[in-house]
């Protein structure tokens, strides 16, 4: 079995699997995988007509995401999982599947009754919001967000631009400058994210994401990018802003959704990774629900 490290040339093939199913978790888009493959080893294989994505963090056991079959053939999925279990067993590795949606979890349980232990991963579960609500920011629950937004609009004259080949290089240079100011104190996680963002922006013409830029007096002060997750949900991968401009995050969030994603009723703003500050920020936008994720660990005999 040959596992192929993920590369930009794999986009069309992998995306054909993703778009064949109603993908619910933010992990399974090509842009997301490409963005993070600089931080961890991500590879793939086609096994029994199923796409299998494997991820391995440094000094940790590898894991897979739930197999994707274009016709959702359950027997093909079962056979693929059984083959992978045997390979892990022969290597003395624990077999695990990460980021299972509730639907995937139930399907796996039906295919392998009582063979897996399931762990609910709140830190990895995705926050799902109403796109129209995040654009309008009406009512008491959005009062603080609307206040930040109003202060920004009162203080600054801003413009919004869709990311394109004409403003791409300027955005890359701007973000490189921003990160340069914190480079000496940045965590490994932030460094990996920075590399992934820069490399993804460089491949903008080949990837499928949309981006948006916010300017004040011609200066880029915020940007965001995302892509379709399924037919009714957009997923926002990255949102960055110059914190010297109070309210910039609220404005880029609204403007990006209003200009690029208004036809999608739902927006997935990914997980909080168990980080308290990120959790508070995501909860402050009043999610409709969490797209729950589970890890499945094969029980030892």
């Amino acid at each position: 079995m040959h596992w192929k490290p993920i590369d930009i040339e794999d986009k069309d093939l992998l995306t054909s699997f993703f778009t064949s199913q109603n993908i619910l978790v933010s992990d399974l888009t090509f842009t997301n995988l490409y963005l993070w493959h600089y931080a961890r080893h991500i590879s793939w294989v086609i096994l029994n007509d199923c796409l299998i994505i494997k991820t391995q963090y440094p000094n940790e056991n590898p894991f897979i995401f739930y197999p994707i079959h274009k016709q959702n053939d359950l027997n093909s999925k079962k056979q693929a999982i059984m083959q992978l279990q045997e390979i892990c067993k022969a290597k003395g590795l624990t077999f695990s599947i990460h980021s299972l949606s509730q639907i995937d979890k139930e399907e796996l349980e039906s295919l392998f009754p009582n063979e897996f232990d399931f762990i609910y991963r709140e830190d990895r579960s995705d926050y799902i919001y109403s796109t129209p609500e995040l654009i309008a920011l009406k009512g008491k629950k959005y009062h603080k967000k609307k206040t930040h937004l109003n202060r920004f609009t009162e203080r600054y004259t801003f413009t919004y631009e869709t990311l394109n080949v004409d403003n791409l290089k300027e955005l890359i240079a701007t973000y490189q400058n921003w990160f340069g100011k914190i480079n000496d104190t940045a965590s490994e996680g932030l460094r990996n994210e920075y590399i992934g963002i820069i490399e993804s922006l460089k491949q903008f013409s080949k990837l499928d994401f949309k981006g948006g830029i916010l300017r004040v007096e011609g200066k880029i002060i915020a940007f965001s990018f995302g892509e379709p997750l399924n037919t009714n949900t957009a997923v926002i991968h990255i949102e960055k802003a110059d914190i010297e401009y109070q309210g910039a995050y609220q404005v880029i969030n609204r403007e990006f959704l209003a200009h690029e994603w208004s036809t999608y009723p739902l927006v997935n703003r990914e997980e909080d990774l168990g980080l308290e500050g990120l959790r508070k920020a995501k909860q402050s936008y009043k999610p409709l629900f969490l797209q729950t994720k589970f890890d499945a660990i094969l029980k030892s005999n």
Side-chain angles (χ1 to χ4, degrees):
M1 185 184 303
H2 175 66
W3 291 91
K4 185 181 185 302
I6 194 168
D7 189 80
I8 193 69
E9 68 186 30
D10 305 323
K11 181 184 75 70
D12 290 345
L13 176 60
L14 269 59
T15 299
S16 72
F17 278 87
F18 298 145
T19 56
S20 72
Q21 301 299 311
N22 185 43
I23 298 295
L24 298 176
V25 297
S26 62
D27 313 71
L28 293 175
T29 71
F30 188 81
T31 299
N32 188 66
L33 295 171
Y34 189 82
L35 178 68
W36 291 108
H37 87 282
Y38 294 94
R40 63 205 68 151
H41 186 71
I42 300 176
S43 55
W44 62 274
V45 70
I46 305 297
L47 182 62
N48 282 47
D49 295 323
C50 297
L51 171 64
I52 314 290
I53 305 288
K54 181 173 71 172
T55 297
Q56 184 166 14
Y57 288 85
N59 304 314
E60 293 186 18
N61 271 352
F63 61 84
I64 67 165
F65 292 113
Y66 195 59
I68 300 173
H69 188 281
K70 289 185 178 180
Q71 282 75 48
N72 203 34
D73 186 300
L74 298 186
N75 186 58
S76 293
K77 290 184 181 182
K78 183 173 183 177
Q79 294 302 316
I81 291 171
M82 290 173 65
Q83 289 182 54
L84 292 166
Q85 286 179 21
E86 290 302 314
I87 291 170
C88 282
K89 184 177 180 181
K91 293 182 177 181
L93 299 172
T94 300
F95 179 75
S96 63
I97 307 175
H98 286 204
S99 294
L100 289 151
S101 69
Q102 179 68 36
I103 291 173
D104 293 337
K105 173 181 177 289
E106 292 171 1
E107 186 175 288
L108 182 62
E109 285 182 298
S110 71
L111 294 175
F112 297 92
N114 202 36
E115 292 189 29
F116 285 88
D117 288 321
F118 292 93
I119 303 169
Y120 170 50
R121 294 296 303 272
E122 184 177 13
D123 60 325
R124 292 288 180 176
S125 297
D126 292 331
Y127 288 77
I128 312 298
Y129 306 83
S130 161
T131 305
E133 284 189 9
L134 292 195
I135 293 173
L137 295 177
K138 290 181 179 178
K140 284 186 177 181
K141 67 179 182 178
Y142 294 115
H143 176 71
K144 288 185 178 180
K145 297 296 181 186
K146 196 62 177 286
T147 298
H148 285 302
L149 190 145
N150 288 340
R151 286 176 180 171
F152 182 93
T153 56
E154 290 168 2
R155 191 174 299 174
Y156 307 108
T157 300
F158 72 89
T159 56
Y160 173 88
E161 293 174 9
T162 297
L163 182 63
N164 57 53
V165 293
D166 295 323
N167 53 31
L168 181 63
K169 287 184 178 179
E170 183 185 358
L171 176 58
I172 291 173
T174 297
Y175 186 51
Q176 287 173 328
N177 181 56
W178 289 359
F179 194 79
K181 296 176 181 178
I182 64 165
N183 183 56
D184 292 340
T185 57
S187 66
E188 183 179 4
L190 280 176
R191 290 175 187 273
N192 288 332
E193 180 190 56
Y194 166 74
I195 293 168
I197 291 172
I198 292 296
E199 295 304 318
S200 296
L201 288 173
K202 288 179 179 178
Q203 296 290 350
F204 172 69
S205 62
K206 295 181 180 179
L207 293 170
D208 289 329
F209 68 82
K210 292 182 178 181
I213 291 173
L214 200 66
R215 294 182 186 268
V216 169
E217 297 179 358
K219 176 185 176 183
I220 295 176
I221 61 110
F223 70 95
S224 184
F225 64 79
E227 66 186 321
L229 181 61
N230 54 50
T231 55
N232 70 352
T233 308
V235 56
I236 308 303
H237 295 306
I238 295 295
E239 187 178 84
K240 297 290 180 182
D242 185 338
I243 59 174
E244 292 183 8
Y245 293 82
Q246 185 182 3
Y249 272 105
Q250 286 76 25
V251 178
I252 187 60
N253 176 37
R254 186 192 68 173
E255 294 297 305
F256 188 43
L257 292 177
H259 285 87
E260 315 297 345
W261 305 110
S262 62
T263 60
Y264 288 76
L266 299 175
V267 56
N268 180 320
R269 291 181 59 82
E270 301 191 344
E271 62 268 284
D272 62 37
L273 303 174
L275 301 173
E276 188 60 29
L278 196 55
R279 177 171 294 176
K280 287 182 177 179
K282 290 183 184 290
Q283 290 177 344
S284 71
Y285 274 103
K286 311 302 179 184
L288 296 176
F289 61 92
L290 278 182
Q291 179 60 60
T292 55
K293 295 182 192 174
F294 300 85
D295 290 350
I297 315 296
L298 185 65
K299 295 180 180 180
S300 57
N301 294 328

